[in-house]
Amino acid sequence: MRAPPIGVASNFGVDQQDRVLRLAQAFPILNMRDSISWKELEREAGAYDFGRPRTGFPAQFDLEKVATTLIVHPANPLYEAGNTVMTEHGIAAFARYVEAVAAAYPGVKAIEVANEFNGGSFVKGPALKLGPMARADLHAAHLAAVSERLRARAPEVRIIGGAAHSIPAGYLWRLLDQGAAAWMDAIALHPYTTEPEQFVRQVAVLRRHPEMAGLGIDVTEFGHIDREAAPGYMLRYYCQMALAGVDRVAWYPLVRRGKYAGLFTRDGRIEPAGRSYRMIAAEMAGTDVETVGAGAFTYGCAFNGGRQLVLWGAPRPVTVLASDVTVRGADAVVVLAREEMVLSREAPLVFSAERPLALGTDIRLGAQALLADSFDQFAYPSEGEALGNAPGFQRFLQLAGADDVPFVTRPGQEARRRPWTPYLGTDLAEGVRLTARGMQLGGRRAQDIGIVHRYVSGQDVTLDVSGKLETTGQAGDGVMVVIKASGEVLVQQGVQTEEEIALTGVKLGAGQALDIVVRTNGSMRGDSLRHRFQLFDAEVARN
C-alpha cells in the first residue's frame, strides 16, 4: 500500500491572494484544493469571465507541477434565485459551468462537486430542507449532469463526489444506490467529527457497500483548532488515512482561517503544523506503508520500507536500542532526552534510520497494564458477527424483561437526527446510540434501558477499573452507573454532570465477567454523555 500525497485545502482566491500564493509556491505546496466561484464566473447567462481573483487564481500555479483540485458549488444568483439548483434547467447550467472550468484550466487534475453537501453550511433554499436521503438523490442528479459533460470534454479529469462532512455512510450508501459510482472516481470526506484512531474502522463500514470497491476516497479537508496540538493530530491522522487506503489528503488551511491552525502565520513564519507537513511530504508521502503491530493500545505506521516508524498510544516506556536511530516529535524537532521516553496518546514519536527498523531489535516498548479500553477497542460488528469476537469489552443493550440485546452497526446519517458517522444501535430502542466516545439513552417513550460494557477474563486476574463520564444533554435527572464483578455490585451511583470512578483490587477468575452498566435514571431527558472505560492489570500497574 502506498501512502497518499498530502496537500492543502485553502482559500487562495480570497485570502490576500498574492501573499498566500507566494507562500504556497515557496514551500512548495504540490497539491492544492480551492473553490472556483460560479457566481463570479458567470454573471451573465452563458458568459464566463476568468479574469477575476476568484476565477483566475489557478492560472498563477504551474498546473503541471501542482496537482490542483477545484470545488464547484451548485448555486448562482442567475438560477433559482441563487439557491442550490434543483431543477433540470438549473442543473444543466451548473454542468455547463463545470465544463467551462475544465476547458479553461486543462491542467486541473480533479473537480470536486459541491462541498459538505450533507450539511447546512453550503446548501441554500429548498434543498436545505431535504432530509439526508433526498439530499443524496439531489447530489446524484448533479453528479450525473457533470459527469456527462466532463467525460466527453475532459475524460482525464478526476470527478470527486459525495461532498461529505464527517463519514456519513448511510447518506453515501444512498448516493451509491442511485448509481453515482458511475459518475465519479472518488468520494470526498471531511472527517472533522472522527478522531484519528476511529478513522480506519469507520471507513471500513463505508466500504461495506459493494459499489465502493471501484471508488477511491479523498480526504479533501482535515484540520485542528489547537496550534500546539495540530502537528500530532496531523501525523496521527495521516498515518490512519494511509492505512485506510485513502488516495489523497489535504490539510485545512495554509494560513489560519477562523479557528483552524495553518501551516504558516499570516506574516509568513512557519507554524508547528507546517514543520509536520513538510516532514510528511518529504519523507512519508508516496512511500509504502504498513501497520505496526504493537498491541491494541499502541498505534503506528511504518513508512518507506520501515525506515520511518510513527508510534503513539496508551502510555508505555520506549527505549531506543540502536545508536543510528533518530527520534523526532510530530513537529519534526529532534528529541534529545531519549532515556525516559514514554508514548503519548496525542503526540507521536517518529523513529528514523537509513535502514528498516524493527520493534524489539531497534526499539523496545515497555510493559503495558491496560487490558481493555472502550475507545481503543471500539468495533462495528458485521451482520451476524458473534459477540464473543468483540475485542476487550463486549457491548449489549439491557431492556427490562429481556435478555441482553446485541447492538448492530448503523451506517450514519441514514435519517434525520442521526449521527453523521457509523454508530451502534438497535431496533428495540430507536433512541439509543453508542459510539467510541459517547452514548445516548433515549427514545419516544420512557424505557428502563441500560448500556452494558462487559469484560470476560481469560484468566485469574486482579483489576483496577477506571470510568469517566460526562453528561452532554439537556439537564435531567442524570444516569445511574452500576459496576458488577461476578454478579456482585461494587458501585451504584448517579451521574448528574461529570464523574470519575476508580476501583482497585477487583478480583476476577477465569471466565468471570465485570459489567459496567449505564442506565436511565427515571426520566430519559438529557441522557446523553461522553464516556471512557478502562481496565488495568493491577499487578503490572504496580510494577
Side-chain angles (χ1 to χ4, degrees):
M1 186 181 300
R2 305 292 288 182
I6 187 169
V8 171
S10 205
N11 298 83
F12 300 104
V14 178
D15 283 346
Q16 302 177 35
Q17 182 187 4
D18 292 340
R19 181 185 51 77
V20 172
L21 284 170
R22 286 197 300 272
L23 285 176
Q25 291 162 348
F27 199 49
I29 300 294
L30 299 179
N31 288 268
M32 76 97 167
R33 169 198 181 254
D34 196 5
S35 60
I36 188 162
S37 173
W38 186 12
K39 69 178 181 180
E40 294 286 336
L41 182 62
E42 186 181 0
R43 292 191 169 192
E44 297 181 13
Y48 304 110
D49 181 357
F50 289 93
R52 300 178 183 278
R54 295 194 64 182
T55 61
F57 71 91
Q60 299 188 47
F61 287 92
D62 184 344
L63 297 180
E64 293 299 317
K65 295 180 180 179
V66 180
T68 302
T69 297
L70 294 180
I71 316 162
V72 290
H73 295 281
N76 185 319
L78 295 176
Y79 305 96
E80 301 177 40
N83 296 318
T84 299
V85 292
M86 299 179 64
T87 67
E88 183 177 347
H89 175 67
I91 293 172
F94 173 59
R96 290 193 298 271
Y97 138 68
V98 178
E99 181 184 26
V101 170
Y105 300 116
V108 165
K109 298 295 189 294
I111 294 289
E112 187 172 343
V113 180
N115 187 54
E116 299 182 2
F117 199 73
N118 62 317
S121 298
F122 299 94
V123 178
K124 300 178 182 179
L128 189 57
K129 299 178 181 179
L130 297 176
M133 299 298 98
R135 192 82 68 84
D137 293 348
L138 178 58
H139 186 50
H142 293 162
L143 283 170
V146 167
S147 175
E148 183 179 8
R149 289 270 176 177
L150 278 191
R151 296 300 193 215
R153 159 72 76 166
E156 73 284 356
V157 173
R158 197 163 183 260
I159 299 175
I160 306 172
H165 188 295
S166 304
I167 308 178
Y171 159 82
L172 292 169
W173 286 357
R174 172 68 175 221
L175 183 66
L176 296 173
D177 288 342
Q178 298 299 98
W183 307 320
M184 58 182 173
D185 301 294
I187 279 178
L189 300 177
H190 296 175
Y192 288 115
T193 58
T194 293
E195 293 179 83
E197 294 73 25
Q198 301 302 321
F199 182 82
V200 170
R201 298 171 183 134
Q202 293 184 3
V203 166
V205 174
L206 171 61
R207 285 194 164 123
R208 290 177 188 177
H209 194 291
E211 292 293 329
M212 282 299 302
L215 287 175
I217 294 176
D218 285 14
V219 174
T220 57
E221 281 186 31
F222 76 112
H224 199 274
I225 62 176
D226 187 321
R227 174 181 179 271
E228 298 302 323
Y233 182 86
M234 182 190 296
L235 188 53
R236 287 157 54 209
Y237 230 128
Y238 183 79
C239 169
Q240 295 296 285
M241 291 186 290
L243 293 177
V246 169
D247 294 326
R248 292 168 177 78
V249 307
W251 178 261
Y252 179 81
L254 182 71
V255 296
R256 176 174 286 275
R257 184 170 175 83
K259 60 185 179 180
Y260 284 97
L263 306 184
F264 291 93
T265 64
R266 291 202 168 270
D267 61 1
R269 289 175 291 114
I270 191 169
E271 287 275 43
R275 292 193 291 271
S276 182
Y277 179 101
R278 185 165 56 190
M279 176 174 63
I280 292 170
E283 301 177 28
M284 301 170 191
T287 73
D288 56 309
V289 59
E290 296 179 354
T291 189
V292 175
F297 314 114
T298 299
Y299 300 87
C301 282
F303 293 100
N304 194 18
R307 291 170 178 81
Q308 282 88 28
L309 299 185
V310 178
L311 295 173
W312 75 98
R316 63 193 299 187
V318 184
T319 304
V320 176
L321 303 174
S323 60
D324 62 336
V325 177
T326 299
V327 185
R328 289 170 290 174
D331 60 358
V333 175
V334 174
V335 175
L336 298 178
R338 295 160 49 127
E339 290 75 17
E340 298 181 358
M341 292 187 299
V342 177
L343 283 192
S344 161
R345 286 194 174 274
E346 288 77 34
L349 292 172
V350 182
F351 303 87
S352 303
E354 295 300 319
R355 57 181 177 81
L357 297 171
L359 293 184
T361 303
D362 300 303
I363 301 160
R364 184 174 63 221
L365 299 178
Q368 196 163 58
L370 193 56
L371 293 175
D373 188 300
S374 58
F375 176 83
D376 287 327
Q377 295 171 297
F378 193 78
Y380 295 98
S382 301
E383 186 175 353
E385 184 177 346
L387 288 169
N389 293 337
F393 288 107
Q394 300 171 20
R395 297 162 179 84
F396 303 92
L397 181 70
Q398 285 185 344
L399 295 174
D403 294 333
D404 290 337
V405 177
F407 281 107
V408 296
T409 298
R410 304 286 196 218
Q413 209 182 19
E414 70 277 6
R416 294 183 189 270
R417 293 179 291 278
R418 299 293 192 275
W420 288 14
T421 63
Y423 64 100
L424 302 186
T426 170
D427 290 339
L428 296 181
E430 191 59 35
V432 172
R433 321 260 190 268
L434 181 61
T435 67
R437 282 289 194 192
M439 61 178 71
Q440 177 178 312
L441 299 164
R444 295 181 180 177
R445 59 188 178 88
Q447 289 179 282
D448 182 10
I449 296 175
I451 291 179
V452 183
H453 283 73
R454 175 172 296 160
Y455 177 77
V456 180
S457 179
Q459 59 187 3
D460 293 349
V461 68
T462 301
L463 299 175
D464 292 341
V465 182
S466 171
K468 298 179 181 180
L469 303 103
E470 178 185 359
T471 58
T472 57
Q474 297 177 347
D477 58 0
V479 297
M480 181 64 65
V481 179
V482 180
I483 301 179
K484 297 186 290 186
S486 304
E488 178 186 354
V489 175
L490 305 179
V491 171
Q492 183 169 327
Q493 71 180 74
V495 177
Q496 290 280 350
T497 54
E498 187 173 353
E499 197 72 43
E500 291 194 18
I501 299 171
L503 299 175
T504 58
V506 178
K507 296 186 180 298
L508 282 185
Q512 293 182 329
L514 181 138
D515 284 2
I516 303 174
V517 188
V518 180
R519 308 196 69 85
T520 55
N521 195 22
S523 165
M524 291 190 294
R525 183 181 178 219
D527 286 358
S528 60
L529 59 152
R530 289 174 62 85
H531 71 283
R532 182 75 172 262
F533 303 134
Q534 295 176 308
L535 304 181
F536 299 87
D537 185 315
E539 183 177 346
V540 175
R542 283 152 182 71
N543 293 331

